Amino acid sequence: MKMNTQINKKAKQGGFTLVEIAIVLVIIGLILGGVLQGQTMIENAKYKKFVKEVDSYRTAYYTFQDMFQALPGDLKKAKTLLDASAVNGSGNGLIDGSTCSVATEESCNVWAHFRYAELISGDPTDSGTDAIPTHAYGAQVHMFNTTAGNSIGKNKMYFTTVPGSVGQRYDNEYDDGDGNSGNISQSANSATYSSTANVNLYIEL
């Protein structure tokens, strides 16, 4: 009898009560909730930074026009008005070239012109692909005249490799929410943005 009593006591001491299990589950729930909330805060902060970047480049674009009555990258008298080391543009009213790849392209020199005018940060002597800024999601930003996106030929900002959910959110908040129309569009031929993949985003200036 004495042995059985000791065994029963050990068996009772080895388990967890429902209250203890409930407390553990509550703690796990609080931890998971905190992690998810933290991730949401980080994503919102990154998105706000992205929006500010778009606004800052747009502001730089129009400020440059007001200052020099010409477009960045396309300024024909860049050597005279900006710096002797600057590269002159053609002065045709377009930011020529595609995505910046060659140092002599206006789509590359647009960033140097901005920097010589002290409208964005960075070294104005950086040329070619070294001049390309990156956005909040870690990929490149370009500026050039193109019909890509919504097939309307205009000077546009081109943000590469943006999360599809971010593209959709930005389009919803600042345009018509359609990836094929309006002032904001994507390279993919779809009205909706992918929620599981990255997209390339065109924003008209």
Side-chain angles (χ1 to χ4, degrees):
M1 286 293 293
K2 200 169 185 181
M3 185 179 291
N4 287 339
T5 303
Q6 289 177 342
I7 291 172
N8 287 336
K9 281 184 179 179
K10 287 182 180 178
K12 287 178 182 178
Q13 290 172 353
F16 293 99
T17 66
L18 290 175
V19 173
E20 289 172 332
I21 293 171
I23 291 171
V24 171
L25 291 174
V26 168
I27 292 171
I28 292 172
L30 290 172
I31 292 171
L32 290 175
V35 170
L36 292 174
Q37 187 175 8
Q39 288 177 336
T40 300
M41 290 175 66
I42 291 170
E43 285 304 314
N44 282 336
K46 193 176 286 189
Y47 176 74
K48 287 178 182 178
K49 182 182 178 185
F50 175 79
V51 171
K52 285 182 179 179
E53 288 170 341
V54 175
D55 291 343
S56 68
Y57 293 137
R58 182 183 282 112
T59 298
Y61 175 83
Y62 286 109
T63 302
F64 191 96
Q65 282 186 287
D66 288 340
M67 291 171 67
F68 303 105
Q69 288 72 56
L71 296 177
D74 187 54
L75 179 60
K76 199 168 186 177
K77 295 182 178 179
K79 288 183 178 294
T80 303
L81 298 175
L82 295 176
D83 190 271
S85 300
V87 177
N88 290 332
S90 66
N92 67 351
L94 304 172
I95 301 176
D96 293 325
S98 184
T99 54
C100 169
S101 58
V102 181
T104 54
E105 288 182 325
E106 291 184 356
S107 58
C108 286
N109 293 322
V110 61
W111 305 112
H113 287 190
F114 277 150
R115 290 169 180 142
Y116 278 122
E118 299 183 348
L119 295 174
I120 67 171
S121 62
D123 185 351
T125 62
D126 286 343
S127 62
T129 55
D130 290 336
I132 304 171
T134 55
H135 57 72
Y137 295 94
Q140 294 179 339
V141 182
H142 298 271
M143 190 178 290
F144 57 99
N145 187 274
T146 180
T147 59
N150 57 7
S151 300
I152 299 172
K154 289 185 177 180
N155 291 318
K156 300 178 183 179
M157 290 182 281
Y158 176 56
F159 289 78
T160 62
T161 321
V162 175
S165 58
V166 171
Q168 186 70 72
R169 179 179 177 181
Y170 188 78
D171 203 330
N172 289 342
E173 291 180 8
Y174 296 96
D175 200 32
D176 59 1
D178 189 322
N180 278 340
S181 67
N183 296 324
I184 300 167
S185 54
Q186 62 173 327
S187 53
N189 186 25
S190 175
T192 57
Y193 295 79
S194 172
S195 60
T196 58
N198 292 325
V199 301
N200 296 322
L201 199 64
Y202 293 93
I203 302 174
E204 290 182 18
L205 290 160

